């Protein structure tokens, strides 16, 4: 039963032309997003904002799942339907962020280790009862002077595998996310090398701990130039290097790969995904999206905390969802942005 459940969920998460909307910002992170539009981060404002994302008509054409935060999975729509139930009714799978954040890694300056394993078996059981079908755990790998260290990559990969095993044990699909940050001044080559090391450590730990790769979704960064690098690789190069790195380091039996946007602009994140799918029709796994900022940014700005703007904000979100849904099939064209 669990095996079939895992297989079905994993396949549905990366169904053709669909991807994941990440709305699992922790309370401190959503406060930063709200600060950018001058909206106070109260529980009701957070609920109202997530309400508009979750109840957007027609999202289910392009969105297979949404990742919720602990507070969000316990909240309800304005008419009193629990968010997880509303999503399930609309054919969108509720997911849940289960790590408790990236903390300073002892004895390693400027590096992070993700916490949240203690009590995770019990928390997963509760989330399952609340309707969660998949769970996310994010590890953060920082590029800098003499970092990342092998110790940091290994410790995070080990924790990701422990979390993934606990998820599969209870019938929840793990979305394993080792994020190599793109904020530094590194070249695309350095990003390639670090992503390669990270993925290699991740899959070796998953294998070692008997996690079923066929029932796992990888959420990863693209291979890209650091934001502060004076030479920025173009769209074709990012697409090529990313696919090359994945083909070399990701087992073919993996259920699917989804990308994080990591601070790329909304349009660029879509263009990168499209370029990967236009040029590679025969990959062993679907390449899709699990964007947070790149899907939400236009919508957040249009909303601005004003309920009169909900419909316009939802239209802005649906447009990004559609563009990315098409990018999963290599059918996106930047002219669609002008038409909108
Ligand atoms: P971004 O797409 O904004 O990077 O967020 C995705 C995510 O869920 C990071 O964990």
């Amino acid at each position: 039963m669990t095996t079939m459940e895992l297989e079905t969920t994993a396949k549905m998460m990366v169904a053709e032309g669909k991807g994941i909307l990440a709305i699992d910002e922790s309370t401190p992170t959503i406060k930063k997003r709200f600060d950018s539009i001058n909206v106070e981060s109260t529980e009701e404002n957070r609920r109202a904002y997530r309400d508009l994302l979750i109840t957007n008509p027609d999202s289910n054409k392009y969105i297979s799942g949404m990742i919720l935060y602990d507070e969000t999975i316990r909240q309800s729509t304005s008419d009193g339907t629990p968010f997880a139930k509303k999503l399930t009714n609309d054919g969108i799978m509720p997911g849940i962020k289960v790590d408790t954040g990236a903390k300073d890694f002892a004895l390693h300056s400027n590096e992070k280790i993700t916490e949240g394993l203690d009590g995770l078996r019990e928390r997963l059981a509760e989330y399952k009862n609340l309707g969660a079908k998949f769970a996310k755990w994010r590890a953060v790998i920082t590029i800098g002077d003499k970092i990342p260290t092998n110790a940091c990559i290994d410790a995070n990969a080990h924790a990701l595998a422990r979390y993934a095993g606990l998820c599969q044990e209870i019938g929840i699909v793990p979305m394993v996310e080792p994020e190599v940050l793109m904020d530094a001044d590194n070249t695309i080559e350095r990003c390639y090398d670090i992503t390669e090391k990270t993925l290699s450590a991740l899959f070796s730990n998953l294998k070692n701990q008997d996690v079923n790769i066929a029932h796992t979704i990888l959420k990863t960064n693209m291979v890209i130039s650091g934001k502060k690098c004076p030479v920025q690789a173009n769209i074709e190069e990012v697409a090529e290097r990313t696919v090359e790195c994945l083909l070399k380091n990701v087992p073919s039996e993996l259920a699917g790969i989804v990308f994080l946007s990591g601070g790329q602009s909304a349009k660029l994140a879509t263009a990168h995904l499209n370029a990967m799918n236009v040029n590679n029709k025969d990959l062993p796994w679907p390449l899709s999206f699990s964007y947070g900022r790149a899907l939400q940014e236009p919508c957040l700005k249009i909303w601005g905390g004003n309920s009169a703007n909900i419909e316009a904000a939802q239209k802005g979100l649906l447009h990004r969802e559609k563009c990315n849904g098409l990018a999963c099939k290599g059918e996106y064209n930047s002219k669609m942005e002008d038409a909108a």
Side-chain angles (χ1 to χ4, degrees):
M1 178 55 202
T2 306
T3 304
M4 246 183 58
E5 193 180 6
L6 289 169
E7 191 175 327
T8 310
T9 303
K11 279 207 178 113
M12 279 169 59
M13 285 169 75
V14 286
E16 199 189 9
K18 288 190 181 185
I20 309 282
L21 171 58
I23 57 168
D24 60 327
E25 299 85 1
S26 64
T27 306
T29 303
I30 195 74
K31 182 181 180 309
K32 274 194 233 159
R33 307 280 185 264
F34 279 13
D35 284 349
S36 74
I37 53 163
N38 289 317
V39 169
E40 198 188 342
S41 179
T42 60
E43 184 179 347
E44 175 48 26
N45 283 343
R46 293 193 293 272
R47 192 211 60 78
Y49 177 59
R50 265 70 181 251
D51 191 332
L52 89 84
L53 302 175
I54 286 169
T55 62
N56 197 7
D58 291 335
S59 273
N60 57 5
K61 288 186 187 160
Y62 315 107
I63 298 296
S64 58
M66 291 194 199
I67 319 173
L68 309 175
Y69 181 58
D70 181 76
E71 176 184 89
T72 321
I73 202 169
R74 302 171 196 283
Q75 290 173 323
S76 300
T77 61
S78 301
D79 72 7
T81 313
F83 281 152
K85 186 156 191 279
K86 167 67 180 156
L87 288 172
T88 307
N89 290 346
D90 290 348
I92 296 175
M93 292 181 291
I96 180 78
K97 168 199 182 79
V98 298
D99 65 73
T100 56
K103 308 286 161 62
D104 289 343
F105 185 36
L107 310 181
H108 293 79
S109 321
N110 303 320
E111 293 195 288
K112 302 278 180 196
I113 178 75
T114 300
E115 295 186 350
L117 288 169
D118 288 354
L120 182 56
R121 179 178 274 129
E122 293 73 24
R123 285 198 291 128
L124 285 167
E126 191 197 2
Y127 289 139
K128 194 165 191 213
N129 274 333
L130 290 168
K133 306 295 269 179
F134 67 98
K136 183 191 102 171
W137 178 289
R138 172 174 176 258
V140 178
I141 306 296
T142 311
I143 301 183
D145 187 26
K146 299 199 181 71
I147 60 170
T149 59
N150 288 339
C152 178
I153 291 177
D154 282 349
N156 275 295
H158 188 263
L160 275 162
R162 287 204 43 209
Y163 128 86
L166 285 162
C167 287
Q168 291 190 345
E169 177 184 85
I170 198 172
I172 288 181
V173 168
M175 177 189 266
V176 291
E177 180 184 12
E179 174 175 2
V180 176
L181 296 179
M182 46 182 82
D183 307 318
D185 62 357
N186 58 280
T187 60
I188 188 169
E189 282 75 23
R190 184 136 159 82
C191 179
Y192 183 105
D193 290 344
I194 303 303
T195 304
E196 170 153 69
K197 264 195 190 166
T198 302
L199 292 176
S200 155
L202 171 66
F203 287 103
S204 128
N205 274 272
L206 290 173
K207 196 163 168 237
N208 203 26
Q209 293 185 43
D210 300 313
V211 173
N212 188 335
I213 303 294
H215 300 158
T216 301
I217 299 288
L218 170 68
K219 173 161 177 167
T220 184
N221 55 283
M222 295 176 189
V223 173
I224 198 166
S225 319
K227 254 178 244 159
K228 295 186 201 131
C229 180
V231 184
Q232 291 289 310
N234 63 29
I235 293 171
E236 289 305 316
E237 202 180 344
V238 169
E240 253 172 54
R241 299 309 309 271
T242 302
V243 170
E244 181 190 340
C245 190
L246 294 171
L247 281 170
K248 234 177 112 190
N249 297 289
V250 178
S252 57
E253 64 267 33
L254 184 85
I257 300 176
V258 294
F259 294 101
L260 58 96
S261 59
Q264 301 176 57
S265 75
K267 290 178 191 170
L268 192 58
T270 308
H272 281 146
L273 177 62
N274 190 64
M276 289 184 225
N277 282 311
V278 162
N279 296 326
N280 300 284
K281 295 292 182 199
D282 296 316
L283 295 173
W285 359 253
L287 292 185
S288 177
F289 59 91
S290 172
Y291 297 153
R293 282 163 287 178
L295 282 168
Q296 291 182 50
E297 233 162 44
C299 163
L300 181 73
K301 281 203 187 107
I302 299 168
W303 174 60
N306 183 345
S307 59
N309 299 334
I310 288 178
E311 212 183 304
Q314 287 182 324
K315 281 200 179 126
L317 174 65
L318 190 68
H319 172 66
R320 291 259 55 83
E321 292 173 340
K322 182 177 181 181
C323 288
N324 285 295
L326 289 169
C328 290
K329 300 188 276 186
E331 292 172 8
Y332 164 77
N333 186 314
S334 60
K335 291 202 183 88
M336 289 167 192
E337 306 290 355
D338 309 331

